[in-house]
Amino acid sequence: MTVTDAFIHPFPKGDSTLQRMAMTARECGFDTLIAVSHHPCECHGVRILQGVIVFDGTMKAVTNTIRQKKRAIIGVAAGDATFNRSVLKTRGVHLITNLHRTQRNAFDQVTAKLAAEKRIAVHLDISQIISCRGHSRQKVLARYRELLILQRKFGFSFAIGSGATSILEQRTVREMILLTELFGMTKEETITALGTLPDLFEDTSRPRVVS
Amino acid sequence: MKHLSPTLRENKRYVLTSIMPSDPDCEIRELYYAVADSITSLYGDCIAAEMHAATILLEGEYLILRCRRGWERELCCAIAAIRSINGRPLRIITIATSGTIAALRKRIRPQKAGHPITCTIHGMEYCGIMYADGKIDLIKRDMKGQELVYLTKDDMEKFHATTTKPDGI
């Protein structure tokens, strides 16, 4: 079973190179990393997958990215309910991210059902729990708890990531389990969430039989 | 004065952690405040009082913490949520938990020996430490202050870096 850290931001965005982050990830118990704006490769026994996050909030940007980055894991930053539903209906999107920044109704039972149907994962950024303090951290934890309730009911996948820009922000698998426990996730759920993304990627990257 | 009988004594658990970067450049008191602040921020004052966390020993990159038995998971979680001390980015990694300090002391390894290097990347001079496992921590100094850059030996070749040891070789 793979253990994936969904979205790391190596040098030049961060202060650590991809190779160094791969080394740290291996020490932390990960075997796959999704690096934003880096080509797929293998470093120090860790499989690196290319990741792209679309922050634009328009469907045009989403479809353009899908067309241009065919071999990448595509994440889309969530917006309002209409945008999220359109994203979930788009083939080629692998996960929806930044849901902690959206309104409560932006991801409801309809969108949750759609995410489960279309096999699109919901990204949980652990760095938000670490870096935020006070009210903003409470909001993130409350939002993640709501998403967990929806996930248990409708069965869509979660993808967990450290969102690290430095080796100092990477966390071990055990630490991930402890941090996800803060919003009620069990150890088994966390381990499943850490392994889902490469499977979803394999599924959509295979050629489709049209008829 | 009579000592408290063992059955009435509070049971403690000790947690061995390691600090990254390996030269933390901070006092044990600062580490205690960071841990206490993280516990309070995550669980609140009531749990913090119940947990009774304390820093016991700082030996090189290793730090031993103490808490009341049964609260070690919460302590480890609070440790994982620490990201800086006095504005300096840092990471504290939990290594082991035990009921005695002696058991944890056995797990303390001698500090990784690194040799200082000076290198030039794209015309800019950096100084830093190169470790035996190929990891390199470089310090970039400019007008804004200093910044750490983490890379490996292979990256140095990619950046066409020219390295010199302190002896000039």
Side-chain angles (χ1 to χ4, degrees):
Chain A
M1 194 184 159
T2 54
V3 186
T4 313
D5 188 349
F7 296 135
I8 56 155
H9 307 268
F11 187 82
K13 197 187 172 189
D15 65 7
S16 313
T17 59
L18 182 64
Q19 294 234 17
R20 184 68 186 266
M21 287 185 106
M23 255 183 170
T24 312
R26 197 188 53 192
E27 287 164 10
C28 290
F30 291 93
D31 57 20
T32 313
L33 286 177
I34 299 169
V36 176
S37 309
H38 275 80
H39 293 291
C41 58
E42 191 155 334
C43 294
H44 304 283
V46 178
R47 184 181 169 208
I48 312 287
L49 297 172
Q50 187 186 10
V52 181
I53 308 177
V54 185
F55 285 104
D56 273 14
T58 58
M59 280 314 293
K60 196 180 170 187
V62 175
T63 44
N64 277 347
T65 313
I66 294 167
R67 207 177 307 129
Q68 285 163 13
K69 311 270 181 186
K70 282 185 180 151
R71 300 296 304 161
I73 288 183
I74 295 164
V76 180
D80 58 6
T82 326
F83 175 72
N84 292 348
R85 282 179 203 181
S86 311
V87 167
L88 292 170
K89 282 175 191 163
T90 313
R91 198 185 146 78
V93 174
H94 296 99
L95 57 92
I96 188 157
T97 182
N98 274 9
L99 274 165
H100 61 274
R101 292 206 180 129
T102 58
Q103 295 276 324
R104 202 178 172 184
N105 63 0
F107 196 87
D108 52 10
Q109 63 270 38
V110 181
T111 1
K113 215 181 263 182
L114 204 59
E117 213 173 274
K118 302 282 177 187
R119 288 176 54 80
I120 293 175
V122 169
H123 180 233
L124 301 178
D125 192 354
I126 295 300
S127 70
Q128 296 299 322
I129 301 173
I130 298 166
S131 61
C132 296
R133 281 287 167 118
H135 180 61
S136 43
R137 185 191 266 169
Q138 288 161 26
K139 269 179 79 177
V140 172
L141 289 172
R143 193 78 179 102
Y144 284 177
R145 198 179 286 272
E146 283 166 13
L147 289 171
L148 183 64
I149 293 166
L150 286 171
Q151 192 267 339
R152 282 176 182 162
K153 192 167 182 191
F154 297 102
F156 58 84
S157 308
F158 272 143
I160 300 176
S162 63
T165 55
S166 165
I167 54 162
L168 303 179
E169 290 170 14
Q170 283 180 282
R171 294 289 178 269
T172 61
V173 175
R174 193 170 173 269
E175 285 168 338
M176 289 268 198
I177 292 167
L178 290 171
L179 289 165
T180 51
E181 266 178 18
L182 290 172
F183 55 88
M185 244 175 136
T186 61
K187 186 184 171 185
E188 290 72 31
E189 283 173 329
T190 310
I191 290 168
T192 311
L194 287 170
T196 48
L197 210 54
D199 297 340
L200 295 182
F201 180 59
E202 304 291 342
D203 266 5
T204 51
S205 59
R206 278 190 200 127
R208 254 193 316 167
V209 179
V210 180
S211 60
Chain B
M1 199 183 86
K2 264 180 101 177
H3 287 286
L4 207 60
S5 75
T7 49
L8 292 173
R9 250 181 253 157
E10 189 182 68
N11 287 308
K12 304 267 171 60
R13 296 288 276 172
Y14 299 92
V15 179
L16 176 69
T17 61
S18 128
I19 303 166
M20 250 175 97
S22 48
D23 180 24
D25 194 26
C26 56
E27 287 176 26
I28 193 161
R29 186 189 291 264
E30 289 174 311
L31 289 162
Y32 168 73
Y33 286 134
V35 173
D37 184 45
S38 183
I39 295 167
T40 313
S41 136
L42 264 184
Y43 299 105
D45 291 331
C46 296
I47 300 286
E50 191 87 355
M51 202 186 289
H52 212 235
T55 45
I56 301 293
L57 170 97
L58 177 66
E59 209 174 282
E61 62 182 299
Y62 292 98
L63 171 73
I64 295 180
L65 295 148
R66 186 195 68 197
C67 71
R68 197 171 272 173
R69 195 170 71 182
W71 292 100
E72 49 273 12
R73 277 185 85 83
E74 284 80 2
L75 178 65
C76 293
C77 186
I79 291 168
I82 296 171
R83 63 196 300 257
S84 66
I85 290 179
N86 295 337
R88 284 192 303 268
L90 142 158
R91 180 182 165 209
I92 305 177
I93 311 151
T94 310
I95 297 170
T97 309
S98 174
T100 59
I101 299 173
L104 293 181
R105 273 183 178 275
K106 284 179 198 160
R107 312 246 339 217
I108 295 178
R109 303 270 170 270
Q111 199 157 5
K112 275 184 272 172
H115 59 261
I117 54 159
T118 315
C119 69
T120 317
I121 301 172
H122 302 311
M124 279 184 77
E125 204 163 278
Y126 295 82
C127 59
I129 302 164
M130 186 194 274
Y131 298 98
D133 53 2
K135 291 176 182 171
I136 299 169
D137 298 352
L138 285 183
I139 304 161
K140 179 183 157 191
R141 286 196 181 89
D142 54 16
M143 281 168 71
K144 291 175 195 166
Q146 68 170 44
E147 204 180 291
L148 273 164
V149 185
Y150 302 97
L151 57 161
T152 62
K153 227 173 177 179
D154 298 341
D155 291 317
M156 296 288 270
E157 284 166 22
K158 268 189 205 166
F159 293 138
H160 307 293
T162 45
T163 55
T164 43
K165 287 178 185 171
D167 51 8
I169 301 164

